[in-house]
Amino acid sequence: DTRPCNPLHTFCCGGHGEEVRLESRFCWDGCYRGRSLGSEQCGLMGGCCCCVPCVPVGCPQCLCPCAARKTIYVEDAETAVQIVTQARDDARKRLQVMER
């Protein structure tokens, strides 16, 4: 996934920043949790995966955009992960949801 000569290229031309992946996996990390999307946002054949509760990890994003996953680029990945984790924990407290 890393482009050739990545450190040199990033130094000379800049980069996207550090990558942070947000994903909801289950089944021993073999599946992404699915989410409902409108058919206009779904993959091929207009609505092929809009209600799939389990999306295999190997399924490409272009075929099944309903997988609960997102990649963001930030300046400092460690700080971003801490902020996202704290926001999740705060939401759990606010909604009174316990961890399993």
Side-chain angles (χ1 to χ4, degrees):
D1 285 330
T2 303
R3 60 189 171 188
C5 302
N6 190 47
L8 178 63
H9 191 271
T10 300
F11 177 77
C12 294
C13 304
H16 297 292
E18 295 181 45
E19 183 179 271
V20 176
R21 292 182 186 169
L22 307 171
E23 31 187 59
S24 181
R25 289 187 182 195
F26 66 105
C27 260
W28 303 279
D29 287 341
C31 294
Y32 293 116
R33 194 168 315 282
R35 59 180 180 210
S36 296
L37 295 174
S39 59
E40 71 279 353
Q41 293 177 321
C42 204
L44 301 176
M45 297 184 277
C48 65
C49 65
C50 293
C51 296
V52 176
C54 175
V55 179
V57 168
C59 186
Q61 180 80 21
C62 63
L63 293 179
C64 205
C66 56
R69 61 183 169 189
K70 183 71 178 165
T71 301
I72 59 173
Y73 295 94
V74 297
E75 190 172 315
D76 180 12
E78 283 189 38
T79 302
V81 168
Q82 290 173 358
I83 291 169
V84 169
T85 301
Q86 185 63 46
R88 180 202 60 199
D89 294 344
D90 291 345
R92 283 183 176 158
K93 287 178 189 173
R94 194 173 52 252
L95 297 172
Q96 298 177 351
V97 176
M98 297 297 199
E99 283 192 53
R100 296 178 194 179

